[in-house]
Amino acid sequence: MATPLAFTARYSHSAAAVRAAFADEQYWKDRIAEVGGPNARLESVTVQGDQVRVEVVQAIAAELLPPAVTAVRPGDLIIPRTENWTGNTADFDVRVEGAPATMRGTITLTGDDASATATVEGTIEVKVPLFGAKIESAIQERLTELLQSEEEFTNIWLTQR
């Protein structure tokens, strides 16, 4: 059974400014360097009109993971992540290398000229008998922390421009 993922990022910038950042390769380079985790990297950013496809690889260091996770999957969690934006909506797909764990969902960006909100809705699924729900809960916690860091980074990045 999958665990729901829900997060709302609040930006002190217009929806247009946030969306423009999401289409800016330098934004992604800076973001992955700042909050991507050990050995994180930007794989690609492709922009065609109002469509943006971003592929990154992020990581969660093993020492930040609970024993329930490291017992099933020792070492850092390597997490390839893809976001496909069309206008102000994105689908995301995340997986954990070497583990039967996936996250999927949508991001919806709304707002006006003064502020914006990105609503993340999705599911986390770990197909491990007996321990799947516990691992999903641990991933949900770390993923929420990551999303909070990305929200903070985006606000700072936009303020500096």
Side-chain angles (χ1 to χ4, degrees):
M1 179 170 215
T3 298
L5 172 66
F7 180 80
T8 301
R10 290 172 173 59
Y11 303 108
S12 55
H13 302 276
S14 70
V18 173
R19 180 59 174 83
F22 293 166
D24 184 330
E25 185 171 353
Q26 190 59 52
Y27 163 82
W28 290 100
K29 287 177 180 178
D30 294 345
R31 184 171 115 173
I32 203 74
E34 182 72 25
V35 298
N39 300 312
R41 65 187 181 276
L42 175 64
E43 294 287 301
S44 67
V45 176
T46 307
V47 180
Q48 294 180 334
D50 75 339
Q51 296 184 337
V52 178
R53 178 180 174 87
V54 180
E55 296 179 34
V56 299
V57 176
Q58 294 173 279
I60 300 174
E63 61 266 16
L64 299 176
L65 298 168
V69 174
T70 56
V72 174
R73 171 61 175 77
D76 297 348
L77 291 185
I78 308 303
I79 307 168
R81 173 176 167 183
T82 302
E83 291 183 17
N84 289 301
W85 286 88
T86 300
N88 284 354
T89 304
D91 293 321
F92 67 87
D93 184 44
V94 182
R95 61 185 176 82
V96 177
E97 286 186 358
T102 59
M103 290 143 276
R104 290 186 175 85
T106 61
I107 307 167
T108 305
L109 181 65
T110 58
D112 54 31
D113 290 341
S115 64
T117 302
T119 304
V120 178
E121 296 177 326
T123 58
I124 303 166
E125 187 170 15
V126 178
K127 295 180 181 179
V128 175
L130 302 175
F131 297 106
K134 189 170 187 175
I135 296 169
E136 287 171 6
S137 177
I139 291 172
Q140 179 187 44
E141 182 180 332
R142 292 293 171 222
L143 191 54
T144 299
E145 290 172 5
L146 175 63
L147 292 169
Q148 289 169 337
S149 296
E150 291 173 352
E151 170 190 19
E152 182 179 319
F153 169 81
T154 300
N155 275 314
I156 292 168
W157 193 86
L158 286 168
T159 298
Q160 295 174 343
R161 279 159 180 70

